Amino acid sequence: MPPTSQALSSRFYQRWLDADPGRAARVEELSRLSLDRLDLGAALAHEAAAGALPLPRALRRLRNLLVAAIIRRDLDGQADLAEIVAAMTALADFAIRTALAAAMDELVALHGMPTGAESGLPQQMMVLAMGKQGGGELNVSSDIDLIFVYPEDGDTQAQAGQRALSNHEFFARLGKKLIAALSEVIEDGFVFRVDMALRPNGASGPLVASLNMVENYLIVQGREWERYAWVKARAVTGEAVDIAALDAIVRPFVFRRYLDFGVIDAIRTMHGQIRAEVDRQERLHPDRSNNVKLGRGGIREIEFLAQVFQLIRGGRDAALRERSTRTTLRVLAEKELLPADTTLQLLASYTFLRNLEHRLQYLDDAQTHTLPASDADRAVIARMMKLPSVDALLAELAAHRAFVAGQFDAIFSDKSESSDDSVNPHSSDANADLDNRASIEARLASLGFDDAAGAAKRVMGTWQAPRLQALPEASRTRLLALLNAALPLIVRVVTEAGVGSHSATLGRLLDFFEAIARRSAYLSLLTEYPHTLERVIRMMNASGWAATFLAQHPILLDELLDDHQRDATPDYQALAAQLREQLDGAAGDTERQMDILRETHHAQLFGLLAQDLAGELTVERLADYLSALADLIVDATIQAAWETIAARHRPVPQFAVIAYGKLGGKELGYISDLDVIFLFDDDDQEGPGNYAKLAQRFITWMTAHTSAGILFDVDTALRPDGASGMLVSSVAAFERYQDSSAWVWEHQALTRARFCAGDAAIGARFAAIREQVLRKDRDAQAAQLRDEVLKMRARMHEASRSRDGLFDLKQEAGGMIDIEFMVQYLVLRHAHQYPQLTANTGNIALLKLCGELGLIDAALAAAVGDAYRAMRKLQHQVRLQGQDNARVEPALVAKHAAQVVMLWKAMFGQ
């Protein structure tokens, strides 16, 4: 051993060496190895053989040897925190498996093999490691938190000379033997202290529980703090099938399928109880201050920081179900749930605090977390931490704790005590009496509501509705606080926006509150993040459609938490990879995959909506983004749906989706249908049948109503032969149809068609067919072409004639469809001479091109292009207010419509 080894600062290490002269050579040998990869079986055999020792003594000697080697490697700078905690976790796992196997053999010899009453299969006990062992981050002198579970009830299969026991009694005895084998203190010490307090019902509950008992307990009695504990549960022993069954029980208890912001208050309460006990102990024993685990800014606060994100989001993101605190923090940075620099500093603080905790324990191999009272011992600890003095140690400790405490407070501070705009769930404001109409009206009037009487009536109607009256008292209190906080915000938002109505915005907000009232997690989110409530109000003031959409999909509240995400340019390549990963993770669960697609689409759409309402997107840019998003969703759906076809004849389908209409022209709106057709190019005899199934499944995945809503309505009427035709067509059949059987209106539709998703080679063939069809020489059929276009337009106009005196932006003469028909006619009439007209660049660009080519008057072309842009913008604004039909006062568009009519007459003479 180097004469200057810091390991000699450990009294435990020194005593252990002095007890046997042969130990120095053994620890010297181990200290050259990476201890997290040590062959523990071989090391145990060596200890047992060296002294002809029984298993209990050999395990204890192995433990002491490994701890001594860890102290040596750590204090001499040869091992980092990762190696130390991995080595201790591996030792605990090994000791449990080894001791359990020996105890099992002993009990089976006495009582026979426990057997399931239902399955008839031999039963093995699952030992669950909780806490730091479960997370792979065990301390050097820590106890281990365990839970014992067995698969099913039944009895042992006793043979002659054996005494039968129930499975419960057998495993209870087995658990007691395991605890004694690990924790009993004998001449060589102990292996690990064992704590069973986390089992169902704690110390008052049975030592072991069957799977059915665990499931019943978690469903009926499981408490919030137990969700926190079970995050780290890891089976050290047991059969794989039984572990999977247990995981299926535990996962929905720990990780909720919705975003569970209610957990913030639960952890805040638990943390407060822990802190109160630590404070009490420190008052009673001032020499025990500076608790690096449970004290302010300590290890536990970092663990809470990591786990609150797991409990909120882990049900929806499997990457957040990690058991390791360090790994979870890194995932939070990757997911941008915490800033990268904050995560790095939390990891640095965690490493410092854990290293300090280990050095406190190295002194005497004691389970301690507080700085020693002795000045001499503190000086030893400072040297172990490679710091020049106790003052330097205390200063660095204080800096780390201050940073951790600040980050903890940013998430867990009680929002009811933070600011004037906060939401106080315990408000006793007299003005909040929602059963007193005069009081409500007076408050609304004092705030400046434009129709205080009408608004008060609306508030009372909502508050006294049976649905809200039946809420638990805690939810009603929180809802009342939210409403009180919202009222002045509504006035401020309407004033700042310069548009909107107090009463209309209040009505939308009350509808939203009614929709989420039974979901306490959403009430918690708005309470914990008061700025989100203001963003909701701003959105509802700006758009009735947005208010309805948010009420239908309140999970989208999460999208309002983060300014960075809201303002970011969409990265659809990264999104596609992320979506593919999520869908693969839910393989075999079609309903979950359908929900993942919906949740992803809704979240992205909502982000665009937020930018749109903030005035950050033009109508054209928004349509580009929405169309690209739809392409992405369509492509992901094809891939996932194909995997569900059991008889699929190839791994990747030779199948493509072709977009028409709004999607084809990249003019998609928030609620546009998808006009599509399906093509395949596959000579395999199984192809037509499988691709028909794929198309049908695709439509189902898109249109089915799940708990997450729907994706899109799908219209396939533009396929060859329409509703009477095959749902899918081969590329060759599509080409023949377009060449010889298609109607003029189908060629009109082709001007806005494009490859959307699927096999790119089929997409290229479609593009070639489209080019060929559009560039046909129609000079000889010019009159027929003109007549067919006019007849189709007349039929559409007659079917949708406006009878309310308003101007229909789409259908009215001089409206958007007139513009689209003129562009389509110009493409079909002249593309054989000007092939550049077949580019799918949008109506405005094509009008400009036609003007430049001299096909129409250039100035009139520009005016009609401006009209189309203005009508699209107006249509968008009208629909944002929740109106299905885009009808406006004629005076708003009279000048634009006149330009459109002028071009129509110039082209068609009508």
Side-chain angles (χ1 to χ4, degrees):
M1 178 189 303
T4 57
S5 173
Q6 284 278 2
L8 295 172
S9 302
S10 163
R11 291 188 284 265
F12 162 78
Y13 183 86
Q14 191 67 61
R15 288 194 302 268
W16 181 80
L17 278 185
D18 293 345
D20 185 341
R23 290 177 176 173
R26 184 70 174 133
V27 79
E28 180 73 26
E29 176 187 351
L30 282 190
S31 67
R32 299 192 189 100
L33 305 174
S34 182
L35 297 175
D36 54 341
R37 295 195 293 270
L38 184 65
D39 185 341
L40 293 169
L44 178 65
H46 182 280
E47 292 302 309
L53 299 176
L55 178 62
R57 294 193 62 189
L59 273 175
R60 285 156 176 75
R61 290 203 174 187
L62 173 62
R63 182 263 180 195
N64 292 334
L65 171 64
L66 186 62
V67 169
I70 283 174
I71 293 173
R72 168 74 178 279
R73 279 181 61 78
D74 186 6
L75 296 184
D76 288 352
Q78 296 172 297
D80 60 8
L81 178 64
E83 177 183 325
I84 294 161
V85 297
M88 287 306 301
T89 302
L91 175 66
D93 290 356
F94 173 78
I96 289 169
R97 293 184 186 117
T98 304
L100 183 69
M104 183 75 174
D105 289 344
E106 181 182 338
L107 283 178
V108 168
L110 291 172
H111 304 289
M113 177 63 72
T115 303
E118 293 185 14
S119 67
L121 297 174
Q123 305 286 289
Q124 298 290 337
M125 187 165 78
M126 289 172 275
V127 177
L128 305 184
M130 309 293 282
K132 287 188 170 64
Q133 183 190 355
E137 296 173 327
L138 193 61
N139 275 336
V140 172
S141 297
S142 177
D143 59 4
I144 54 176
D145 296 289
L146 303 179
I147 294 177
F148 301 148
V149 180
Y150 61 95
E152 59 179 297
D153 288 317
D155 298 290
T156 62
Q157 299 298 301
Q159 306 298 319
Q162 295 177 326
R163 179 188 167 211
L165 296 174
S166 69
N167 286 355
H168 184 86
E169 177 62 22
F170 179 94
F171 288 116
R173 294 188 184 192
L174 181 62
K176 289 175 183 177
K177 281 186 170 292
L178 176 60
I179 293 169
L182 296 174
S183 62
E184 193 172 71
V185 179
I186 57 177
E187 61 264 45
D188 296 292
F190 60 91
V191 188
F192 287 99
R193 291 172 288 265
V194 177
D195 189 334
M196 298 295 297
L198 293 178
R199 69 185 188 268
N201 287 308
S204 63
L207 187 65
V208 296
S210 68
L211 283 174
N212 283 340
M213 291 169 65
V214 171
E215 181 173 27
N216 183 67
Y217 175 81
L218 294 181
I219 291 173
V220 177
Q221 300 181 58
R223 291 157 288 184
E224 283 294 326
W225 71 262
E226 288 177 293
R227 292 178 59 204
Y228 170 86
W230 279 84
V231 166
K232 291 185 179 290
R234 176 174 60 85
V236 177
T237 68
E239 299 291 342
V241 65
D242 297 329
I243 294 171
L246 177 62
D247 184 57
I249 292 169
V250 172
R251 187 187 300 132
F253 168 69
V254 176
F255 301 113
R256 305 295 161 82
R257 293 188 71 168
Y258 53 86
L259 293 170
D260 186 8
F261 287 90
V263 76
I264 295 177
D265 191 50
I267 291 183
R268 181 192 296 127
T269 301
M270 180 166 60
H271 176 262
Q273 293 168 347
I274 293 171
R275 285 289 305 127
E277 177 59 22
V278 171
D279 290 345
R280 189 181 72 83
Q281 291 293 334
E282 289 182 350
R283 285 195 302 273
L284 292 174
H285 308 282
D287 56 319
R288 296 182 189 173
S289 60
N290 281 314
N291 188 315
V292 301
K293 178 181 179 182
L294 301 178
R296 190 77 172 103
I299 294 166
R300 182 54 53 83
E301 288 192 357
I302 300 177
E303 292 172 341
F304 279 157
L305 275 168
Q307 287 188 274
V308 70
F309 287 100
Q310 293 183 286
L311 293 175
I312 290 172
R313 301 174 183 275
R316 308 179 68 81
D317 190 342
L320 286 168
R321 296 174 196 163
E322 286 285 346
R323 298 181 177 94
S324 159
T325 297
R326 292 166 299 149
T327 302
T328 299
L329 287 171
R330 295 185 186 103
V331 171
L332 293 178
E334 291 170 7
K335 301 280 183 181
E336 297 184 348
L337 295 171
L338 280 178
D341 56 346
T342 299
T343 304
L344 286 173
Q345 183 57 52
L346 284 171
L347 284 166
S349 296
Y350 184 80
T351 300
F352 176 87
L353 293 168
R354 288 296 304 272
N355 282 336
L356 176 57
E357 181 183 43
H358 283 154
R359 281 147 181 76
L360 298 176
Q361 296 171 353
Y362 289 164
L363 276 178
D364 293 299
D365 188 23
Q367 188 185 4
T368 182
H369 311 286
T370 58
L371 289 181
S374 158
D375 289 340
D377 282 351
R378 289 191 174 199
V380 171
I381 297 297
R383 287 196 299 274
M384 287 182 175
M385 293 293 291
K386 296 182 172 53
L387 291 170
S389 65
V390 173
D391 286 343
L393 170 64
L394 293 175
E396 186 161 351
L397 173 60
H400 282 291
R401 291 178 66 174
F403 174 77
V404 172
Q407 295 304 311
F408 183 89
D409 287 346
I411 292 178
F412 291 100
S413 61
D414 192 338
K415 307 304 187 295
S416 66
E417 302 171 358
S418 50
S419 73
D420 292 340
D421 291 335
S422 65
V423 179
N424 184 356
H426 311 294
S427 169
S428 58
D429 187 345
N431 292 325
D433 182 5
L434 299 190
D435 294 313
N436 184 329
R437 182 165 173 176
S439 172
I440 302 170
E441 187 173 337
R443 170 130 196 246
L444 294 174
S446 71
L447 290 171
F449 267 68
D450 45 24
D451 178 12
K457 182 179 179 181
R458 179 73 169 81
V459 169
M460 279 196 71
T462 298
W463 185 249
Q464 293 177 352
R467 184 171 185 172
L468 267 62
Q469 290 293 311
L471 289 175
E473 188 59 33
S475 292
R476 282 174 56 81
T477 300
R478 184 163 279 165
L479 196 56
L480 178 62
L482 285 168
L483 183 55
N484 271 316
L487 295 176
L489 285 175
I490 290 172
V491 175
R492 190 171 84 199
V493 165
V494 172
T495 302
E496 290 175 359
V499 296
S501 150
H502 300 138
S503 297
T505 303
L506 174 63
R508 292 166 184 172
L509 184 66
L510 291 172
D511 289 341
F512 173 68
F513 281 163
E514 276 199 83
I516 67 169
R518 293 183 180 276
R519 301 296 293 273
S520 61
Y522 297 130
L523 300 179
S524 296
L525 184 155
L526 293 169
T527 303
E528 298 293 345
Y529 298 95
H531 67 281
T532 303
L533 177 61
E534 180 173 346
R535 288 178 178 171
V536 167
I537 292 169
R538 289 190 183 280
M539 185 168 279
M540 291 183 172
N541 181 61
S543 169
W545 182 82
T548 302
F549 188 70
L550 188 57
Q552 291 171 341
H553 308 289
I555 193 170
L556 296 172
L557 282 172
D558 183 46
E559 301 300 314
L560 294 177
L561 293 178
D562 189 346
D563 285 318
H564 172 72
Q565 288 182 354
R566 189 164 58 95
D567 299 336
T569 300
D571 182 352
Y572 287 143
Q573 186 174 357
L575 178 64
Q578 179 184 338
L579 180 57
R580 181 73 260 164
E581 182 181 343
Q582 286 184 275
L583 290 170
D584 287 345
D589 186 346
T590 297
E591 182 179 353
R592 181 62 195 138
Q593 288 183 316
M594 291 169 71
D595 281 349
I596 288 169
L597 288 163
R598 283 153 176 74
E599 291 157 7
T600 300
H601 179 254
H602 293 158
Q604 293 296 314
L605 187 149
F606 194 67
L608 293 172
L609 175 62
Q611 294 183 59
D612 180 18
L613 295 178
E616 297 166 6
L617 296 175
T618 64
V619 174
E620 291 80 10
R621 177 62 60 85
L622 174 65
D624 285 344
Y625 285 155
L626 290 172
S627 300
L629 176 61
D631 288 355
L632 182 155
I633 295 293
V634 169
D635 190 61
T637 303
I638 291 170
Q639 296 179 52
W642 181 248
E643 294 294 323
T644 68
I645 296 175
R648 62 188 182 279
H649 57 288
R650 60 176 72 252
V652 179
Q654 292 178 350
F655 176 92
V657 176
I658 306 300
Y660 281 73
K662 292 293 186 187
L663 179 58
K666 297 185 179 179
E667 294 183 350
L668 209 64
Y670 290 121
I671 55 173
S672 298
D673 297 350
L674 300 189
D675 293 295
V676 296
I677 68 167
F678 307 110
L679 301 180
F680 70 91
D681 188 17
D682 192 336
D683 292 333
D684 192 294
Q685 64 179 5
E686 300 295 327
N690 279 338
Y691 294 133
K693 287 180 185 176
L694 176 57
Q696 290 165 342
R697 207 152 291 185
F698 170 85
I699 293 171
T700 298
W701 280 46
M702 285 280 160
T703 61
H705 285 265
T706 74
S707 58
I710 72 165
L711 276 170
F712 297 97
D713 284 324
V714 175
D715 190 337
T716 61
L718 290 171
R719 67 186 186 269
D721 290 317
S724 63
M726 301 289 289
L727 185 59
V728 296
S729 300
S730 69
V731 173
F734 177 79
E735 183 173 17
R736 287 193 301 271
Y737 180 84
Q738 290 293 334
D739 186 56
S740 59
S741 304
W743 297 85
V744 169
W745 64 265
E746 291 177 287
H747 286 172
Q748 285 181 251
L750 203 59
T751 63
R752 286 158 61 87
R754 64 180 176 84
F755 167 69
C756 172
D759 189 317
I762 297 177
R765 289 200 55 192
F766 166 79
I769 294 167
R770 174 183 177 275
E771 189 84 6
Q772 174 185 319
V773 171
L774 296 183
R775 290 176 60 185
K776 276 186 176 181
D777 185 348
R778 294 177 171 83
D779 285 347
Q781 296 87 34
Q784 181 185 354
L785 173 65
R786 174 184 174 281
D787 291 345
E788 288 294 329
V789 170
L790 290 174
K791 281 194 290 186
M792 176 56 69
R793 181 67 189 101
R795 282 199 295 269
M796 291 178 66
H797 183 68
E798 186 61 34
S800 56
R801 188 180 296 277
S802 175
R803 293 177 174 82
D804 55 8
L806 297 177
F807 184 92
D808 189 316
L809 291 169
K810 281 183 65 178
Q811 300 288 353
E812 204 77 41
M816 295 168 66
I817 288 183
D818 275 1
I819 299 173
E820 292 167 3
F821 265 55
M822 287 189 286
V823 171
Q824 293 162 11
Y825 170 79
L826 289 167
V827 172
L828 294 177
R829 180 68 182 84
H830 299 289
H832 72 284
Q833 186 178 357
Y834 303 106
Q836 60 266 48
L837 288 172
T838 63
N840 192 349
T841 54
N843 291 299
I844 296 172
L846 287 172
L847 280 167
K848 182 181 179 183
L849 178 59
C850 289
E852 292 170 350
L853 293 173
L855 303 176
I856 54 176
D857 180 80
L860 194 50
V864 173
D866 290 342
Y868 192 72
R869 184 181 292 110
M871 289 183 193
R872 278 189 68 190
K873 184 174 182 180
L874 196 53
Q875 179 191 51
H876 181 67
Q877 291 170 348
V878 168
R879 287 191 168 160
L880 277 177
Q881 293 310 315
Q883 297 180 32
D884 292 332
N885 297 315
R887 292 192 171 100
V888 298
E889 290 294 333
L892 284 175
V893 291
K895 290 172 64 175
H896 289 306
Q899 297 294 316
V900 177
V901 171
M902 189 181 302
L903 181 58
W904 184 273
K905 288 180 178 178
M907 286 177 55
F908 298 118
Q910 292 188 358

